[in-house]
Amino acid sequence: MSEKLDQLVDELSTLSVLDAAELVKKLEEKWGVSAAAPVAMAAMPGMAAGGAAAEPVEEKTEFDVVIKDPGAKKIDVIKVIRQLTNLGLGEAKTMAETAGSKVLAGVGKDAANDAKKKLEEAGASIVLE
């Protein structure tokens, strides 16, 4: 079994960051889980007896780029979505037309701000979560 897992790790190591993020999203949807849950659970032992965390809150390092409104220039927004992701035309169109769609998930602050800027220049209303 170990050899099989090593081979899988090697294959996954060849994925781009965007492809890896998309893989995580698909696995979360298929299995009905969240990759963030183990991280949240790991913080629980540091909680005080009353249930309040005694440690300071760390600055957020991963962001989701979410479309709130595609705006009037949907074609331009679709083009930017296709540039930022490896989605096909139909998938990008569906994403652009669906409020609350995550264009990018779990990306760094700079990448999220860059994507937000490009999408807003195309006419979309974007939030970072």
Side-chain angles (χ1 to χ4, degrees):
M1 187 73 168
S2 178
E3 184 178 320
K4 192 175 189 178
L5 291 177
D6 289 340
Q7 183 181 10
L8 183 58
V9 169
D10 289 340
E11 287 183 39
L12 291 175
S13 296
T14 64
L15 293 177
S16 70
V17 174
L18 291 176
D19 288 340
E22 183 67 23
L23 174 63
V24 168
K25 182 178 169 186
K26 287 185 179 200
L27 291 175
E28 287 175 339
E29 290 172 1
K30 178 156 179 92
W31 294 336
V33 297
S34 173
V39 175
M41 295 302 287
M44 289 184 73
M47 297 182 93
E55 299 169 10
V57 177
E58 292 184 26
E59 184 178 343
K60 189 172 180 177
T61 58
E62 291 187 351
F63 298 87
D64 295 338
V65 180
V66 180
I67 295 177
K68 285 298 180 188
D69 180 31
K73 301 179 186 176
K74 287 184 186 175
I75 293 174
D76 292 341
V77 173
I78 293 167
K79 287 178 183 179
V80 174
I81 290 172
R82 292 191 69 205
Q83 289 172 357
L84 296 171
T85 65
N86 290 326
L87 295 177
L89 181 59
E91 294 165 317
K93 180 180 181 288
T94 300
M95 182 178 284
E97 292 173 341
T98 307
S101 293
K102 288 183 184 178
V103 178
L104 298 174
V107 297
K109 186 175 183 178
D110 292 338
N113 283 327
D114 184 51
K116 180 180 178 185
K117 179 182 173 191
K118 288 177 180 177
L119 287 163
E120 286 178 340
E121 286 174 355
S125 174
I126 304 296
V127 293
L128 300 180
E129 296 180 343

